[in-house]
Structures are given as structure tokens and as C-alpha cells.
């Protein structure tokens, strides 16, 4: 018994080489600095985004902040994880015949837990359930009929497991959004988003994003009472960025109409976005989706008014330019253009100018961007130059951009 326990402990011990020197977690996307030290991409990007110009491990000054993917180490980590997962894989307590019987007759919390373990045990088991002729319809039916929050949490996990299989997304969308007997299939998602555990909330948001495939489905989801608000609540979970990212992703996919955007503005999405962007260490995906959400709501008059009236939001949008990704930067320029040029919001113009917005916009132009973003940059330069009172850009451009290191 002691030998078996030691063997299991050795099996899951993480090699030091696989740990990020910053987070000490297993690296998901290892990248190397010019010093030769490898870090997880998200950790080193956060370090550099805070303005550090040194290698955290060696404290050497970095002549370049460019990172290079360490593909060999990434492959080794993936191989190790596959073996570690196999060692920890739940023992399958049911056979395929028993799993089929559960789907047909015995759906309850204990049997669902057994079925989930069965699906996690192998890819073949997962496909067996996903491709079963009556499985998805049975899960949706039980999801609607059951009043137990634990059962709904488990069925959301089942949905998440089978959602990547061919044809499942379309079938889920059809059953949930177009039920022939008019059953309420979206209300259970609201219940899970409000009362479920953190994991179930994130997976519920992912499923809703998955089935929002076209304008008709987006409208049906956004029109369901309480659903937009429960997804918005997920974005306010400041201590859980995975929940924030899942909520924002779902809202971006679902809230495409002006009515839906106005609802989000009423809930306080602009204020929440400003708070997220001002956080000390939001993940790259969170920043990208936050700025994309601001661009989305800035497409309506109410959104431009809310953004222009929120100094923190405008200031953080300027500060985040060129500090995340090209996509986030272009979305940020679109937000600033909407409030400073399209809406001609003087308060937003003043805030952008105070945050050195003119220099940032010039840097975006200098770094290369799409033609539409370049057009918006030119208009922003005119507006911010007028606000700053600088009529001659040449010396300003040279002196203010030449000595700014790239982010």
C-alpha cells in the first residue's frame, strides 16, 4: 500500500523545468526571453505590461522584450500532462450498456456523476454518449424538468463535455431554442448562473455562447428575462478572471442588438469595464474581451454617452493601447474615435489628452495598423491636437515618440 501511494505521488510531481519561474504553475504556453529563461506567456506578459525591463529570474536588463515560443518544452509538458492525466483519470464505474441505461431511464445526481466519469475516462466513451440517438434530447428534457440545482450543474457539465463533438452544437441549439412544445429551455441557465457553483457558471456561459449562432438565436437568448443580467453579473466577479472572461465572451456573442446593448449599459457594463481595465493583473483574454465589449456598446448613442461620462473608462482605454495585442489596440482606437470624434464628447477628449492620448495614437499609427484604424487615428490626432493646443506636430511627434520604448 505504501509503495502504491509513493508511486502515485511520484506520478503527479511536477518537474521544476515545467514550472513557470513567476507563477510556479505548470506552463501552458512556454516562451523564452532573449536571456534564455523560459516563462509562461501570460505571466511574462503581465510582468512586461507593468513596465519592467528586466528578466525576472536573472534581473538582467532586457535589450529586447520579444518572446520566442519554446516548442520543444511545450511538447514535453503536453506529453507529461497526458501521462499525469491518465494516472489521475477517474475509474470507469459503468459499462457502455450501463451508460445507455442511465441515459434512457435513470437520470439523477448519482447516475449523472457516474456518466460524467464514464465520459471522461476515454474519447470513445465521450463519443458513445454524444452520438447516442436520444442522449442530447434526454439531457435537455431533464435539464428543464428538474428543479435541483445540483442536477442542472451536472447536466451543464455534460453539455460542455459533448459540445465539441460533430453536430452537437447544432442539435443543442435546435433543442434549447426551438423546442416544439414551447418548453422554457433557457430559464435553467439563468438559475445556474445565479445559484450554481463557479465551474457551472463558467460552463453555462460557454454553452450559451456556443448556441448563439445567428441573429435569430442571439435575439432569443438576449430576450430571455434575467439572462443578460445574470451573464453581466458574471463579469463583475473580480476575483475570478475565468468567470469574467466567460461572461464577456458570451455577452459579445449574444448582445448584438441595440436593445441588448442598452440593457448592458443600464446594468453598468461601462463602469465594470473601466474597473476591469484598471486591475493590476487582468489576463490578456480578459483585456481583449473588455475592450471589444466597449467597442460594441460604443456603436450606439447611449454607449458613447456612458463611456464619455466615465473618466476611468476613457483613461484606462488610452493606457491599454499597445499593451495587450493588436486586436485590443485597434478596438481601443475604435472606442476613443467613437467618443472623441463621432460623439465629440469634450470630457472624453480632455481625459484622453491628459493621459497622453495624442502620443499613444501616433505610436499606433507608427506601428502599423489596418486602413480603417489608420483613418480613425488620423481623425483622433486632429481632435487631440486641437485639444492640446499644439499646431505643429513635427517636433512634438519626434520628441514624444522617439524615446518611448515599445510596450
Amino acid at each position: 500500500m505504501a509503495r502504491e501511494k509513493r508511486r502515485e505521488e511520484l506520478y503527479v510531481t511536477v518537474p521544476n523545468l515545467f514550472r513557470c519561474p513567476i507563477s510556479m504553475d505548470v506552463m501552458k504556453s512556454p516562451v523564452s526571453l532573449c536571456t534564455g529563461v523560459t516563462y509562461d506567456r501570460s505571466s511574462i506578459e503581465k510582468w512586461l505590461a507593468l513596465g519592467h525591463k528586466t528578466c525576472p529570474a536573472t534581473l538582467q536588463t532586457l535589450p529586447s522584450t520579444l518572446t520566442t515560443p519554446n516548442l520543444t518544452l511545450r511538447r514535453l509538458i503536453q506529453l507529461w500532462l497526458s501521462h499525469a492525466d491518465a494516472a489521475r483519470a477517474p475509474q470507469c464505474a459503468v459499462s457502455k450498456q450501463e451508460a445507455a441505461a442511465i441515459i434512457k431511464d435513470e437520470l439523477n445526481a448519482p447516475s449523472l456523476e457516474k456518466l460524467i466519469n464514464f465520459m471522461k475516462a476515454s474519447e470513445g466513451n465521450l463519443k458513445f454518449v454524444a452520438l447516442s440517438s436520444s442522449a442530447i434530447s434526454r439531457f435537455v428534457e431533464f435539464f428543464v424538468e428538474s428543479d435541483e440545482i445540483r442536477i442542472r450543474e451536472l447536466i451543464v457539465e455534460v453539455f460542455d463535455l459533448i459540445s465539441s463533438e460533430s453536430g452537437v452544437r447544432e442539435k443543442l441549439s435546435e433543442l434549447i431554442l426551438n423546442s416544439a412544445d414551447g418548453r422554457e429551455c433557457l430559464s435553467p441557465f439563468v438559475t445556474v448562473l445565479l445559484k450554481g457553483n463557479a465551474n457551472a457558471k463558467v460552463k453555462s456561459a460557454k454553452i450559451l455562447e456556443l448556441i448563439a449562432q445567428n441573429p435569430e438565436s442571439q435575439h432569443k437568448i438576449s430576450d430571455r428575462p434575467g439572462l443578460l443580467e445574470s451573464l453581466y453579473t458574471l463579469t463583475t466577479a473580480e476575483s475570478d478572471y475565468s468567470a469574467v472572461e466567460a461572461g464577456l465572451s458570451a455577452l459579445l456573442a449574444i448582445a448584438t442588438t441595440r436593445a441588448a446593448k442598452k440593457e448592458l449599459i443600464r446594468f453598468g457594463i461601462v463602469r465594470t469595464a473601466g474597473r476591469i481595465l484598471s486591475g493590476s493583473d487582468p489576463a490578456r483574454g480578459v483585456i481583449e474581451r473588455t475592450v471589444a465589449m466597449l467597442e460594441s456598446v460604443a456603436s450606439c448613442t447611449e454607449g458613447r454617452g456612458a463611456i464619455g461620462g466615465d473618466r476611468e473608462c476613457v483613461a484606462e482605454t488610452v493606457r491599454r493601447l499597445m499593451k495587450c495585442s493588436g486586436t485590443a489596440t485597434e478596438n481601443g482606437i475604435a472606442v476613443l474615435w467613437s467618443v472623441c470624434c463621432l460623439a465629440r464628447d469634450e470630457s472624453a477628449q480632455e481625459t484622453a489628452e491628459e493621459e497622453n492620448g495624442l502620443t499613444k495614437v501616433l505610436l499606433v499609427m507608427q506601428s502599423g495598423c489596418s486602413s480603417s484604424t489608420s483613418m480613425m487615428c488620423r481623425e483622433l490626432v486632429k481632435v487631440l491636437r486641437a485639444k492640446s493646443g499644439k499646431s505643429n506636430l513635427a517636433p512634438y511627434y519626434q520628441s514624444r515618440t522617439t524615446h518611448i520604448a515599445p510596450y
Side-chain angles (χ1 to χ4, degrees):
M1 178 72 71
R3 268 198 310 270
E4 289 178 2
K5 185 176 181 182
R6 279 198 301 273
R7 191 184 303 121
E8 182 179 353
E9 289 172 351
L10 287 171
Y11 223 113
V12 296
T13 299
V14 180
N16 289 332
L17 180 66
F18 296 169
R19 292 184 184 274
C20 173
I22 297 175
S23 69
M24 298 308 295
D25 293 329
V26 177
M27 289 183 277
K28 296 179 180 178
S29 179
V31 295
S32 300
L33 287 177
C34 58
T35 57
V37 182
T38 299
Y39 302 90
D40 194 34
R41 182 184 297 277
S42 61
S43 296
I44 194 61
E45 285 182 348
K46 289 176 186 176
W47 170 266
L48 296 173
L50 291 173
H52 298 295
K53 303 298 181 184
T54 58
C55 173
T58 66
L59 298 182
Q60 291 176 260
T61 300
L62 295 173
S64 170
T65 58
L66 294 176
T67 58
T68 304
N70 191 328
L71 300 180
T72 301
L73 183 57
R74 181 177 181 179
R75 179 59 181 159
L76 288 173
I77 291 173
Q78 289 173 341
L79 288 171
W80 178 83
L81 284 173
S82 66
H83 289 296
D85 288 344
R88 291 190 296 258
Q91 294 301 309
C92 187
V94 296
S95 65
K96 286 187 177 181
Q97 291 75 16
E98 290 170 321
I102 289 173
I103 295 169
K104 184 178 179 182
D105 302 315
E106 303 176 25
L107 286 181
N108 52 49
S111 67
L112 280 169
E113 289 174 353
K114 290 180 181 179
L115 191 63
I116 288 169
N117 285 339
F118 170 80
M119 295 164 69
K120 288 180 176 179
S122 73
E123 185 68 23
N125 289 354
L126 178 60
K127 288 184 180 294
F128 175 80
V129 174
L131 302 178
S132 176
S133 59
S134 61
I136 299 175
S137 58
R138 280 284 287 137
F139 293 139
V140 172
E141 180 182 10
F142 201 52
F143 188 55
V144 174
E145 292 177 351
S146 177
D147 292 326
E148 294 183 39
I149 186 63
R150 179 56 184 157
I151 286 177
R152 287 179 168 175
E153 289 173 343
L154 291 168
I155 293 179
V156 163
E157 185 168 0
V158 172
F159 287 160
D160 183 63
L161 284 169
I162 65 177
S163 62
S164 60
E165 296 299 321
S166 176
V168 169
R169 180 178 70 169
E170 292 75 16
K171 193 164 185 179
L172 272 177
S173 181
E174 177 67 24
L175 289 169
I176 292 172
L177 299 177
N178 302 306
S179 53
D181 58 1
R183 291 176 307 178
E184 178 55 82
C185 295
L186 286 169
S187 290
F189 284 105
V190 178
T191 303
V192 175
L193 286 166
L194 293 177
K195 300 179 181 179
N197 59 46
N199 190 44
K201 289 179 179 180
V202 169
K203 289 179 178 177
S204 291
K206 289 180 178 179
I207 296 301
L208 290 168
E209 178 184 359
L210 190 75
I211 64 176
Q213 302 179 63
N214 51 53
E216 182 182 1
S217 59
Q218 292 158 4
H219 179 73
K220 286 183 178 180
I221 297 171
S222 64
D223 204 37
R224 187 61 52 199
L227 205 151
L228 278 183
E229 187 170 10
S230 59
L231 283 173
Y232 164 72
T233 302
L234 205 57
T235 70
T236 64
E238 296 180 21
S239 60
D240 186 356
Y241 277 132
S242 63
V244 173
E245 185 171 353
L248 288 169
S249 291
L251 288 173
L252 283 167
I254 295 164
T256 57
T257 65
R258 180 175 180 179
K261 293 172 185 178
K262 287 173 65 176
E263 279 290 279
L264 292 180
I265 294 162
R266 184 174 66 82
F267 297 148
I269 192 67
V270 170
R271 183 174 60 254
T272 297
R275 202 159 50 236
I276 292 171
L277 292 177
S278 66
S280 59
D281 60 347
R284 173 173 173 165
V286 173
I287 296 173
E288 288 179 335
R289 285 160 180 78
T290 300
V291 183
M293 176 57 69
L294 287 174
E295 182 187 15
S296 178
V297 298
S299 63
C300 66
T301 304
E302 295 81 3
R304 292 190 289 274
I307 295 170
D310 191 314
R311 189 187 187 286
E312 181 182 42
C313 186
V314 176
E316 291 300 331
T317 301
V318 175
R319 291 170 192 157
R320 291 288 177 181
L321 292 177
M322 298 185 71
K323 285 192 174 182
C324 178
S325 66
T327 299
T329 292
E330 296 208 351
N331 288 341
I333 289 292
V335 173
L336 294 173
W337 176 84
S338 295
V339 293
C340 294
C341 300
L342 186 60
R344 294 285 175 180
D345 189 302
E346 293 191 2
S347 175
Q349 293 171 0
E350 291 173 1
T351 301
E353 195 277 325
E354 290 169 4
E355 294 296 330
N356 207 17
L358 181 56
T359 299
K360 289 289 191 73
V361 173
L362 288 168
L363 279 170
V364 174
M365 293 176 68
Q366 192 178 36
S367 66
C369 53
S370 67
S371 57
S372 59
T373 300
S374 180
M375 179 275 294
M376 288 187 278
C377 284
R378 287 195 294 272
E379 293 190 21
L380 277 167
V381 166
K382 292 177 184 177
V383 169
L384 296 179
R385 181 179 61 180
K387 182 61 63 175
S388 66
K390 292 178 170 62
S391 58
N392 182 9
L393 262 186
Y396 178 76
Y397 180 82
Q398 293 169 0
S399 64
R400 296 297 291 275
T401 62
T402 302
H403 305 294
I404 295 177
Y407 294 101

